[in-house]
Structure formats: C-alpha cells, structure tokens
Amino acid sequence: MNTIFFSDIHGLPSTLEKLFEQADQLHADLLVLMGDVLYHGPRNGVPGAYDPNRVAALLNGRKDQILAVRGNCDCDVDQMLLDFPIMSDYAQLAIDGRRFFLTHGHLYHRDYMPSLPKGSVFVQGHTHIPALEELSTGITFLNPGSISLPK
C-alpha cells in the first residue's frame, strides 16, 4: 500500500493541491492526514491564501483515500464541512505488518507515547517540524511537518 502522511494544512489550498499532485505521481493509495485541517489557529495569523472552503472541497474530492485524526485547531464546525471523519484523537493502522499509531501531537507526542510494541511507528504532526528517527525504544518516530506553515 502506497501511503502518504501529511499534516497541518491550516486552510491553505495551494499547498494541498501540490501535495495531491505528488500523491498522484506516486500513485498513493492512502492519504493520512495528521490534523489541523481548515483553521489557521490564533498564533499563526491569517495566511494570505487562506480558503478553508476550498480546502474542504479538495479533501472531499478524495474522501475515500483519506484517514484523518483531529488536530488542536480542528473542531465540530470543521467536521460539518468534511465528508470523512476527523474528530478522533488517534487512530491505528497496519501497513506491511507494521503497526502505526497516528495522532496530531497535542495529546500524545514524541515525549509522551502510549505503550507500543517494538517495530511500531509513532506518527504525529503539530510541531510543523519534519522528523524521521529510530528511537532507543525500537519505535520509529515520524513527523511529516506542515505542508502550509513549515518550521
């Protein structure tokens, strides 16, 4: 299964369109969205190209490919615009025999993980800083960063 992990769109359609172009080139089967979908958050300021309705339309066009978790900027009102669930604080996924624990990063995070077996992959967004690291616990840590507001 060809899977793409992405996070922190924050209502910017142009970066989502670029991600979808790459997903198509890579023939992605599954798009795993790590939260912070439509709202930019009070600390980020309003981005110039902010268009949450366009982001919702783009995502809804691929609803059958998306698995998503809730970010700290996501709320019930956002869910009303989306045709796939985003309100779960975490999800688990098995890919090629590996267990993936998916969360945004504001509840569970690199320094506060649930109990996971060795060989698992812990995936979070939230920090906007991309990372891929093998931890001393035998867990792989993945943060795809932010497609819209990278740090």
Side-chain angles (χ1 to χ4, degrees), residues 20 56-66 83:
F20 283 167
L58 289 167
L59 290 169
N60 286 338
R62 296 190 182 228
K63 64 184 177 187
D64 295 338
Q65 283 185 282
I66 296 174
D83 297 336

Side-chain angles (χ1 to χ4, degrees), residues 32 45-46 59 65 73 75 79 84 107-108 128 131 135 142 151:
V32 181
V46 180
L59 290 169
Q65 283 185 282
C73 292
C75 68
Q79 182 63 80
F84 57 92
L107 300 174
Y108 294 106
H128 297 212
L135 304 177
L142 169 64
K151 292 184 181 174

Side-chain angles (χ1 to χ4, degrees), residues 33 37-38 52 55-60 63 68 74-75 77-86:
L33 174 51
V37 180
L38 302 178
V55 168
L58 289 167
L59 290 169
N60 286 338
K63 64 184 177 187
D74 299 325
C75 68
V77 173
D78 299 330
Q79 182 63 80
M80 294 168 63
L81 294 175
L82 298 167
D83 297 336
F84 57 92
I86 66 163

Side-chain angles (χ1 to χ4, degrees), residues 22-70:
Q22 291 176 342
D24 290 343
Q25 289 174 4
L26 295 170
H27 306 288
D29 301 303
L30 180 63
L31 304 171
V32 181
L33 174 51
M34 307 305 302
D36 283 359
V37 180
L38 302 178
Y39 182 53
H40 53 83
R43 293 182 293 178
N44 294 317
V46 180
Y50 182 63
D51 188 351
N53 289 320
R54 175 79 178 130
V55 168
L58 289 167
L59 290 169
N60 286 338
R62 296 190 182 228
K63 64 184 177 187
D64 295 338
Q65 283 185 282
I66 296 174
L67 172 63
V69 294
R70 180 181 69 89

